[in-house]
Amino acid sequence: MIIVKSKNELAIMQEAGRIVAGALEVVKNAVAPGITTAELDKLAKEYIISQGATPAFKGYQGYPANICTSVNDQVVHGIPGPIALKEGDIISVDIGAFYKGYCGDAARTYPVGKVSSEALDLIKVTKEAFFKGLEFARVGYRVSDISHAIQVYVEERGYSVVKALVGHGIGQEMHEEPQVPNFGPPGRGPRLREGMTLAIEPMVNQGTDQVRVLDDGWTVVTQDGSLSAHYEHTIAITRDQPLILTQGE
Ligand code: MF3
Ligand code: CO
C-alpha cells in the first residue's frame, strides 16, 4: 500500500529533508584529500543531532554507521572507516535522517580535489538523469515512466544503470512502497497521486551494470571495477511541479 501524505506531513518531511540537505552540505565542504570517511560520518552525525534529528541509517538492518560513503567503484552502502580520501577519488555520500517521525533521504557524488574529466562527466550525467526522471514525477504518469526516462537518458550517454538496487517510497519508514527502479518500460506500476513521497536515486556505472557485495556484507561495488555515481532526492508528488523535499534554503 502506498501511503499518501497530508500537507502537514509534507511540511514535516520538508524539515527532515532540509536537515539531510544541510548534512550533505557539511560533508561536501569537508571532502578533500586526507580526510577519512569516518571523519565525514562524524561531521554528518553531529550536524543531524544538532538539528534535533536522528541519523536514519544507523542500526538499519544492522548497518554500523550514520551515513554511507562509497568511493570510486563502490556504488552504494560503503561503510565509513579509517581510509583517507585521495586526490582524484570520487565519493558518493548517502544521508538519511528522521525528524518528528518522518524520514528524508538524499545522496550526491563529490569529486576529491581534481578528478578526471571522465569522472566529472559520470557525476554530471547521474545528476541529469535524476532531473530527467523528475520530469515524470507528476500526476498523470506512472512510476515506471520515471524509471524509463532515467534509463534512456543514462544509456544514450554510454553508461549503465544499476538494476540490483532501486529507489523507494518514503515517509514514516525509510523504505515504503512503491519501488522506484531506474530502468524498465514506461507506463507500468502505480499511478502517481498527489501526496506520494518518493526517493528517486539513479546509480550509474561507467561500465557494466553488474554489481557485487563485499565481504563486509554492505559495500556494493561494480563487477568490473569501473566508477559509479549516485544522485538522490526525496520528492513529493503535488498538483503540479514535483516538490524536492531534500533541498537546502
Ligand atoms: N539511501 C539508502 C536507501 O535508499 C539508505 C540505506 S543504507 C542503510 O536505501 F545503511 F541504511 F542500509
Ligand atoms: Co534511498
Side-chain angles (χ1 to χ4, degrees):
M1 189 192 59
I2 299 177
I3 303 166
V4 166
K5 280 75 179 180
S6 67
K7 282 270 168 339
N8 182 47
E9 289 178 293
L10 290 181
I12 300 171
M13 286 189 70
Q14 198 157 22
E15 293 181 62
R18 269 198 205 107
I19 295 168
V20 170
L24 278 170
E25 202 61 28
V26 165
V27 171
K28 177 189 182 181
N29 290 331
V31 164
I35 195 163
T36 68
T37 50
E39 288 172 308
L40 297 176
D41 185 89
K42 184 161 181 277
L43 287 173
K45 175 193 178 183
E46 286 172 354
Y47 177 82
I48 290 166
I49 289 173
S50 77
Q51 301 302 303
T54 312
F57 301 171
K58 182 81 189 255
Y60 181 83
Q61 293 182 4
Y63 185 71
N66 298 290
I67 68 174
C68 299
T69 53
S70 308
V71 178
N72 295 336
D73 65 328
Q74 299 180 351
V75 179
V76 287
H77 303 169
I79 303 171
I83 307 293
L85 297 178
K86 304 184 308 297
E87 178 100 15
D89 285 345
I90 60 171
I91 179 172
S92 299
V93 179
D94 194 343
I95 302 184
F98 275 98
Y99 183 71
K100 296 185 180 168
Y102 289 83
C103 192
D105 184 9
R108 242 17 131 254
T109 301
Y110 301 125
V112 181
K114 189 168 163 45
V115 307
S116 68
S117 58
E118 288 82 4
L120 286 178
D121 188 70
L122 173 70
I123 292 170
K124 175 168 156 276
V125 167
T126 306
K127 176 180 182 175
E128 289 168 352
F130 167 86
F131 284 99
K132 189 48 75 174
L134 191 66
E135 290 177 14
F136 296 86
R138 300 175 74 114
V139 174
Y141 293 109
R142 291 176 183 261
V143 167
S144 92
D145 293 317
I146 300 171
S147 313
H148 183 71
I150 291 172
Q151 180 178 25
V152 168
Y153 191 85
V154 167
E155 292 181 352
E156 277 177 351
R157 281 152 189 82
Y159 298 116
S160 67
V161 288
V162 173
K163 302 175 183 70
L165 296 144
V166 298
H168 48 94
I170 179 168
Q172 289 180 278
E173 304 284 345
M174 179 162 66
H175 293 145
E176 296 183 353
E177 289 181 39
Q179 293 198 345
V180 185
N182 297 301
F183 64 95
R188 312 278 175 89
R191 287 183 189 283
L192 298 173
R193 309 271 185 215
E194 186 180 354
M196 285 183 182
T197 43
L198 306 174
I200 301 174
E201 50 178 317
M203 290 150 271
V204 177
N205 296 353
Q206 265 182 337
T208 173
D209 63 348
Q210 297 298 298
V211 297
R212 66 191 174 88
V213 181
L214 297 186
D215 287 340
D216 64 20
W218 282 102
T219 311
V220 177
V221 300
T222 59
Q223 277 285 7
D224 60 4
S226 69
L227 296 177
S228 186
H230 189 195
Y231 192 98
E232 174 181 29
H233 270 302
T234 298
I235 67 104
I237 308 295
T238 75
R239 291 168 69 164
D240 65 32
Q241 299 257 55
L243 178 63
I244 296 182
L245 297 169
T246 39
Q247 194 98 276
E249 282 170 281

